[in-house]
Amino acid sequence: MNKIDIPSTSRIRHRDFIFGVATAAFQIEGDVNNRLPCIWDTFCRIPGKISDHSNGHIACNHIEYWQQDIELISSLGVNAYRFSISWGRVMTASGQINPQGLAFYRQLIDALNRKGIKAFVTLYHWDLPQYLEDKGGWLNRETAYHFRDYADAISRELGDSVYAYTTLNEPFCSAHLGYETGVHAPGKIGQAHGRQAAHHLLLAHGLAMPVLRKNAPNSQHGIVVNIAPCDPLTQFTDDIRAAKLADDYLNHWYISPLLKGTYPDSFSQLPSNARPHIEDGDMAIIQAPLDYFGINYYTRNVVCSNGRRGFEGFEIVPPKKVAMSLTAMGWEVTPISLTKMLLTLAMEYDLPPIYITENGAAYDDQIIDDEINDMQRVEYYKQHLSALDRAINAGVNVQGYFAWSLMDNFEWAEGYQKRFGLCYVDYTTLVRTPKRSALTIKHFLEQKTDAIR
Ligand code: IFM
């Protein structure tokens, strides 16, 4: 057994440290006929958008296999499960609750609670109902208010049975990939679109926060952002400046409004025709106090200058040109960037408690004699948990960690070709098989301790 060699005194080993696995509705649920269509259903139908031409029709059929999946989660020994609610499964287009859809999540949460597994519920993991996209989606300010109403309806029903509510997962991806570069649903393109969508997403979060707090006063409430820190390719001034701009544009554009109530200073470099419409009071709404800040970490960006001005002046260097080790996504494996990123954030911001809400890697897994010996993924987890331990030892208040993902699933524009799971999914039989990485984490979690340094 390849062991995760974190010292027994590490906070990560402590019984109270939250150690979970994560998934998202569209990526695992299937059963599309019992919910409203969402932007990803539409996007999957556009030729060329999904690399294997797949869709979410069946996915892992979690809607039918949920009990088996809870047993799987429980068998790993984790104490938390992070999943998302499909907006269009629980709400009708007229804004009423869909009782059948809600009942699904209620039974899931009840079953988790009975097993002592904390439910971390994300309200929005990218699956905007299509009828809202038809009215402008995240470019329409009204969508933020629809989100608040959805958050209100669901948290009234589920209340404190949920340990932690997350408003949004990765607003960068929804805004930048969905409305600026167009590689994700709904596939809109343009800087003005991306920046406006980002603002409305942040506003949606801020509007929902007090409502969630009122309806579930004993739950935790927060948001999850993805951060890929930006390092300069060289120590020349132009590259350093380019990396700083990239960091603002891709990361701090989301972090700074949430934690400081302002966009980064470099906002002024945005062309006037790309600046979002911001109303008086919006920034104060967005800066709603957080019980926790969720960070998804996978990799970093290496950035160089291309000599142009402003946000047009940075370029991301293809990881294969600079990295020693790549995942199947072509992302650099760089655990030290996790430590550095947490330390830098702690210096720049007054941070609430942190959860690492996603971390993991896709590799080309092979199932041989019913076993998946995914040693590269085992190594990835070992290195990243050690990197996290270093940040905790240096004083960063990290309270939990979630592996992405419980099982292989629909990896958005990459379809089912990229496997991030701790458990292998055979997409013909839908059988789930724990990989070596799952067994390694299970073994690690069997040695919890009450000691802490
Ligand atoms: O699969 C995604 C997830 O939905 C959001 N965070 C990143 C993961 C890997 O790309």
Side-chain angles (χ1 to χ4, degrees):
M1 174 72 63
N2 204 323
K3 287 212 310 238
I4 296 174
D5 37 14
I6 304 275
S8 62
T9 49
S10 164
R11 196 194 295 171
I12 299 177
R13 280 202 186 271
H14 193 264
R15 186 170 313 285
D16 290 341
F17 188 81
I18 287 175
F19 200 115
V21 286
T23 63
F26 191 88
Q27 294 178 273
I28 64 166
E29 284 184 353
D31 186 45
V32 293
N33 294 327
N34 284 311
R35 61 161 172 76
L36 299 175
C38 75
I39 53 176
W40 275 92
D41 296 311
T42 311
F43 196 66
C44 288
R45 282 199 296 273
I46 305 174
K49 296 294 183 193
I50 311 296
S51 62
D52 62 359
H53 321 289
S54 62
N55 54 43
H57 288 189
I58 298 174
C60 304
N61 198 3
H62 169 71
I63 291 285
E64 205 179 315
Y65 289 26
W66 68 273
Q67 281 161 303
Q68 176 186 325
D69 288 337
I70 287 188
E71 292 305 324
L72 192 60
I73 295 165
S74 169
S75 76
L76 299 177
V78 296
N79 58 9
Y81 175 46
R82 175 174 178 254
F83 61 96
S84 78
I85 288 183
S86 154
W87 186 339
R89 195 179 290 287
V90 292
M91 302 295 289
T92 67
S94 57
Q96 307 301 307
I97 288 205
N98 172 348
Q100 195 195 340
L102 183 68
F104 171 76
Y105 296 106
R106 208 193 280 283
Q107 65 187 359
L108 183 72
I109 293 165
D110 288 348
L112 289 169
N113 284 337
R114 278 197 300 275
K115 286 191 176 287
I117 299 171
K118 295 178 170 61
F120 277 66
V121 169
T122 303
L123 292 169
Y124 186 69
H125 197 122
W126 311 355
D127 45 359
L128 187 71
Q130 182 61 43
Y131 79 91
L132 289 174
E133 181 57 34
D134 295 341
K135 296 179 188 161
W138 289 109
L139 300 179
N140 181 352
R141 190 175 166 94
E142 282 301 304
T143 302
Y145 294 89
H146 286 298
F147 177 76
R148 178 202 57 193
D149 295 346
Y150 153 56
D152 186 21
I154 297 308
S155 55
R156 271 174 202 262
E157 293 287 337
L158 298 179
D160 299 338
S161 66
V162 170
Y163 182 81
Y165 287 86
T166 298
T167 52
L168 310 177
N169 177 69
E170 301 180 348
F172 161 87
C173 294
S174 300
H176 189 82
L177 305 182
Y179 289 84
E180 191 156 333
T181 63
V183 296
H184 276 190
K188 297 242 158 70
I189 295 174
Q191 191 177 40
H193 287 339
R195 300 297 116 179
Q196 189 62 69
H199 186 70
H200 288 154
L201 279 151
L202 292 170
L203 180 66
H205 155 79
L207 290 168
M209 282 296 287
V211 170
L212 292 171
R213 229 178 251 304
K214 178 166 145 283
N215 295 343
N218 297 315
S219 307
Q220 297 186 8
H221 304 287
I223 185 168
V224 166
V225 299
N226 55 308
I227 304 180
C230 295
D231 291 335
L233 177 64
T234 72
Q235 287 307 307
F236 290 121
T237 317
D238 282 359
D239 283 348
I240 292 175
R241 197 178 295 133
K244 166 79 176 84
L245 272 181
D247 212 20
D248 279 1
Y249 200 67
L250 307 173
N251 297 317
H252 297 284
W253 209 268
Y254 306 87
I255 309 169
S256 180
L258 293 165
L259 298 181
K260 288 187 178 161
T262 57
Y263 283 103
D265 291 345
S266 53
F267 185 94
S268 60
Q269 300 199 32
L270 209 55
S272 51
N273 62 3
R275 294 198 186 165
H277 172 71
I278 301 173
E279 297 196 358
D280 285 350
D282 282 3
M283 300 313 290
I285 293 172
I286 292 171
Q287 200 195 358
L290 298 168
D291 296 329
Y292 70 89
F293 194 55
I295 298 176
N296 294 350
Y297 174 79
Y298 291 89
T299 189
R300 68 164 175 165
N301 292 312
V302 174
V303 178
C304 66
S305 162
N306 60 15
R308 294 213 286 270
R309 292 164 66 92
F311 292 120
E312 298 213 324
F314 70 78
E315 265 167 34
I316 312 283
V317 180
K320 60 174 183 279
K321 291 202 172 157
V322 285
M324 307 274 286
S325 167
L326 294 174
T327 70
M329 295 292 281
W331 298 347
E332 180 182 4
V333 178
T334 171
I336 192 177
S337 304
L338 171 61
T339 316
K340 275 169 53 187
M341 181 253 289
L342 288 170
L343 295 180
T344 311
L345 283 178
M347 276 188 299
E348 283 183 35
Y349 294 97
D350 185 10
L351 291 178
I354 301 288
Y355 293 125
I356 299 300
T357 31
E358 287 180 27
N359 177 234
Y363 287 107
D364 295 328
D365 302 316
Q366 304 292 330
I367 183 158
I368 299 168
D369 296 336
D370 294 334
E371 284 189 5
I372 305 97
N373 282 305
D374 56 336
M375 299 317 289
Q376 288 174 295
R377 187 175 292 104
V378 169
E379 197 52 38
Y380 184 97
Y381 279 116
K382 281 174 67 172
Q383 292 179 4
H384 285 78
L385 285 165
S386 295
L388 181 62
D389 190 44
R390 280 194 286 280
I392 293 173
N393 288 338
V396 185
N397 182 8
V398 181
Q399 307 262 342
Y401 173 92
F402 291 80
W404 181 272
S405 175
L406 165 65
M407 56 186 159
D408 298 334
N409 57 50
F410 177 78
E411 179 51 29
W412 309 110
E414 302 291 340
Y416 295 95
Q417 286 170 333
K418 302 292 181 221
R419 295 179 175 272
F420 274 90
L422 291 177
C423 300
Y424 185 91
V425 176
D426 177 329
Y427 290 116
T428 312
T429 60
L430 293 179
V431 168
R432 289 95 154 112
T433 307
K435 303 177 190 174
R436 173 74 51 200
S437 53
L439 304 174
T440 306
I441 285 179
K442 176 184 162 87
H443 180 72
F444 172 71
L445 293 173
E446 276 161 4
Q447 283 137 41
K448 292 214 188 101
T449 162
D450 286 323
I452 196 162
R453 61 178 167 231

